[in-house]
């Protein structure tokens, strides 16, 4: 049996066509396979390794921490320096009212926690979400994910969730009301096809939330930590949330998620009863040490500029027959092609030429472009040239 056969045999499969790359190691923008091939990781493990693979500063932070301690106690009982230092640094770069952090282990857990927090803080249960959103695969997050094919097999999900059209004003006035605990949205929809929200629409939602007492939750699990050319996507709009959900690129390739809100909102987790929302591994000291090193590096380098350069070059170069649009911000881009066939051919050919691309969950005609922010300009240009050649050849 080959390792691929063994993989298919012993690891639960999530599709019948896994890529099946057998990874030997990964460094910077590259993945290396056991058969000696090298791939440019142009999707950064789906927006995770924004500083590339094994960034030296992240590795250093991890090594320092593993020499001190691993897990020591469930969340909230002990003072752990890596958590503390990272939370302080993170809140120092966020708006004042986002001044406390709750650490979890993944994106979907961050959203779960945020939804529960909003319900407990407001004493309400109604939730408002948007079509084509993606918030994760646990029951709560799936309940606010706006795509029926993923929801239907698991019904019934949470009751009292109302879906509105993304970027449409219709229903905002009526649906966001004094029974609403929270409105949850991605400032730039990721799996929905890299769709930035409209500024006026976001402002209207913020106002409806203020008027009705509903909390506004931003899911920045994919768009956070520099990917869009700002540290957080909401900075493009200047409209802050009440709860901010983070994960993916936060910890340089280690598993971690977080949701950030004000002390006043977080009080709901302290009382009636105490310990009403806890986690064993959330805020793991090694992940926090990695996240601290990752954020310090992001803040000290020219990574945001690089994200903007990636947007500029991609929008300049990817033009012509077969291409409908390149949309998105910074290094969170979607290349909209005219057909599913063309998309498949281009992804397949680039793969055979050593470039890893991908699509988004809810679209079959969009190629996701999410290179790491450490990518050198020459490599970026080379990859864009290959993608362009492939599109020209197949359209
Ligand atoms: N929210 C968004 C916007 C995401 O892109 C993702 C992952 N693609 C999630 C939530 C879920 O994160 P995780 O896979 O870490 O649970």
């Amino acid at each position: 049996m080959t390792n691929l056969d063994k993989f298919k045999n012993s690891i639960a499969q999530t599709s019948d066509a896994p890529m099946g790359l057998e990874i030997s190691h990964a460094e910077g923008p590259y993945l290396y396979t056991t058969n000696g091939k090298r791939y440019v990781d142009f999707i950064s493990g789906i927006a995770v390794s924004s500083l590339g693979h094994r960034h030296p500063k992240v590795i250093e932070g991890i090594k320092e921490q593993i020499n001190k301690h691993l897990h020591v106690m469930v969340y909230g009982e002990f003072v752990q320096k890596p958590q503390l230092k990272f939370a302080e640094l993170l809140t120092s770069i966020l708006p004042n009212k986002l001044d406390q952090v709750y650490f979890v282990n993944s994106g979907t857990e961050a959203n779960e926690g945020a939804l529960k927090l909003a319900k407990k803080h407001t004493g309400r249960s109604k939730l408002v979400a948007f079509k084509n959103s993606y918030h994760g695969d646990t029951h709560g997050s799936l309940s606010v994910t706006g795509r029926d094919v993923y929801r239907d097999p698991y019904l019934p999900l949470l009751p009292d969730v109302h879906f509105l059209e993304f970027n449409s004003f219709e229903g905002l006035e009526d649906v966001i009301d004094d029974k609403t605990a929270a409105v949850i949205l991605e400032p730039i929809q990721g799996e929905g096809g890299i769709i930035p929200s409209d500024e006026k629409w976001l402002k209207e939602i913020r106002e409806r939330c203020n008027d009705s007492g509903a909390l506004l939750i931003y899911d920045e699990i994919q768009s956070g930590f520099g990917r869009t050319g700002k540290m957080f996507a909401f900075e493009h709009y200047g409209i802050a949330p009440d709860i901010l959900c983070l994960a993916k690129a936060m910890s340089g390739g280690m598993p971690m998620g977080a949701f950030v809100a004000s002390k006043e909102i977080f009080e709901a987790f302290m009382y009636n009863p105490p310990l009403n929302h806890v986690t064993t591994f959330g805020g793991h000291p090694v992940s926090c040490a990695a996240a601290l090193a990752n954020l310090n590096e992001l803040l000290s380098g020219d990574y945001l500029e690089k994200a903007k350069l990636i947007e500029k070059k991609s929008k300049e170069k990817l033009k012509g027959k077969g291409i409908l649009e390149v949309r998105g911000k910074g290094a969170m881009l979607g290349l909209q092609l005219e057909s599913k066939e063309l998309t498949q051919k281009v992804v397949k050919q680039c793969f055979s030429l050593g470039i890893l691309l991908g699509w988004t969950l809810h679209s079959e005609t969009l190629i996701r472009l999410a290179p790491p922010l450490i990518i050198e300009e020459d490599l970026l240009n080379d990859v864009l040239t290959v993608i362009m050649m492939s599109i020209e050849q197949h359209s």
Side-chain angles (χ1 to χ4, degrees):
M1 256 216 255
T2 64
N3 279 347
L4 185 59
D5 291 333
K6 289 181 190 169
F7 159 80
K8 288 185 179 167
N9 199 31
S10 60
I11 293 178
Q13 297 293 300
T14 52
S15 85
D16 58 7
M19 271 189 269
L21 279 188
E22 195 176 326
I23 301 299
S24 123
H25 59 289
E27 196 78 44
Y30 297 112
L31 298 169
Y32 297 84
T33 58
T34 47
N35 61 1
K37 277 198 87 168
R38 188 181 78 173
Y39 293 85
V40 182
D41 186 355
F42 218 66
I43 48 177
S44 305
I46 316 286
V48 171
S49 40
S50 287
L51 291 183
H53 295 282
R54 295 186 76 253
H55 190 283
K57 287 282 168 54
V58 173
I59 299 292
E60 195 183 303
I62 291 173
K63 281 188 177 159
E64 224 174 86
Q65 184 54 37
I66 60 177
N67 285 331
K68 290 182 184 147
H69 66 89
L70 303 181
H71 180 265
V72 284
M73 183 54 169
V74 291
Y75 186 83
E77 296 294 337
F78 289 179
V79 180
Q80 299 183 47
K81 235 188 195 162
Q83 287 182 348
L84 186 58
K85 280 183 153 178
F86 178 56
E88 282 187 337
L89 182 62
L90 178 60
T91 51
S92 77
I93 60 166
L94 285 168
N96 287 344
K97 64 176 189 167
L98 297 174
D99 63 354
Q100 279 196 335
V101 186
Y102 190 111
F103 291 121
V104 290
N105 307 285
S106 64
T108 196
E109 275 179 79
N111 288 332
E112 290 286 338
L115 295 173
K116 280 182 71 184
L117 182 62
K119 286 171 78 173
K120 185 121 190 324
H121 172 75
T122 59
R124 307 171 181 179
S125 63
K126 179 175 170 184
L127 298 169
V128 177
F130 295 90
K131 291 187 186 158
N132 271 325
S133 60
Y134 180 79
H135 296 296
D137 278 349
T138 51
H139 271 93
S141 299
L142 184 59
S143 297
V144 288
T145 287
R147 186 95 192 285
D148 288 344
V149 282
Y150 295 120
R151 299 163 50 82
D152 286 349
Y154 301 102
L155 295 174
L157 292 167
L158 280 180
D160 217 4
V161 178
H162 299 254
F163 286 98
L164 297 175
E165 214 55 67
F166 192 72
N167 275 343
S168 161
F169 288 81
E170 208 180 313
L172 294 183
E173 179 82 31
D174 299 334
V175 179
I176 304 171
D177 59 13
D178 62 7
K179 294 196 172 49
T180 309
V183 177
I184 182 167
L185 62 89
E186 300 155 84
I188 300 180
Q189 278 197 338
E191 300 311 312
I194 318 291
I195 303 171
S197 49
D198 172 73
E199 190 170 327
K200 284 202 187 103
W201 176 77
L202 206 53
K203 193 157 174 268
E204 176 72 17
I205 292 183
R206 179 68 272 180
E207 278 168 15
R208 280 305 299 144
C209 286
N210 292 348
D211 292 348
S212 63
L215 298 188
L216 179 56
I217 303 172
Y218 285 169
D219 175 346
E220 288 233 30
I221 286 158
Q222 194 169 139
S223 58
F225 294 99
R227 177 129 303 271
T228 68
K230 300 263 187 198
M231 191 57 81
F232 301 101
F234 76 79
E235 295 170 26
H236 289 285
Y237 303 92
I239 301 166
D242 300 299
I243 308 180
L244 178 66
C245 296
L246 303 166
K248 284 189 181 277
M250 180 161 61
S251 32
M254 293 293 284
M256 191 155 86
F259 51 112
V260 190
S262 68
K263 289 187 190 69
E264 187 213 339
I265 293 175
F266 268 124
E267 265 197 18
F269 279 170
M270 281 170 73
Y271 307 113
N272 304 318
L275 304 178
N276 69 73
H277 188 78
V278 293
T279 159
T280 294
F281 280 122
H284 193 284
V286 180
S287 296
C288 284
L292 179 65
N294 186 74
L295 185 53
N296 272 322
E297 181 59 25
L298 261 179
L299 289 167
S300 64
D302 59 355
Y303 299 106
L304 303 183
E305 289 311 311
K306 180 58 77 61
K308 286 176 200 150
L309 182 79
I310 291 167
E311 175 180 348
K312 185 168 166 276
K313 292 261 163 197
S314 303
K315 287 184 172 169
E316 264 168 25
K317 280 203 143 198
L318 301 174
K319 269 189 192 145
K321 200 161 167 259
I323 301 174
L324 298 186
E325 188 187 11
V326 179
R327 61 172 178 264
K329 290 185 192 289
M332 184 174 177
L333 298 172
L335 168 60
Q336 182 75 59
L337 299 184
E338 69 182 9
S339 73
K340 184 177 162 184
E341 292 69 40
L342 178 61
T343 309
Q344 281 174 344
K345 281 182 185 156
V346 171
V347 171
K348 202 169 157 206
Q349 186 177 37
C350 287
F351 184 67
S352 73
L353 295 170
I355 298 165
L356 189 65
L357 301 172
W359 35 85
T360 60
L361 264 183
H362 304 342
S363 171
E364 291 179 321
T365 53
L366 187 91
I367 295 181
R368 183 201 300 275
L369 307 175
L373 309 182
I374 45 113
I375 196 165
E376 298 286 344
E377 204 174 327
D378 284 351
L379 181 59
L380 173 67
N381 283 331
D382 289 350
V383 171
L384 293 174
T385 303
V386 173
I387 297 174
M388 201 53 218
M389 270 167 35
S390 180
I391 295 171
E392 276 167 2
Q393 193 181 324
H394 291 105
S395 58

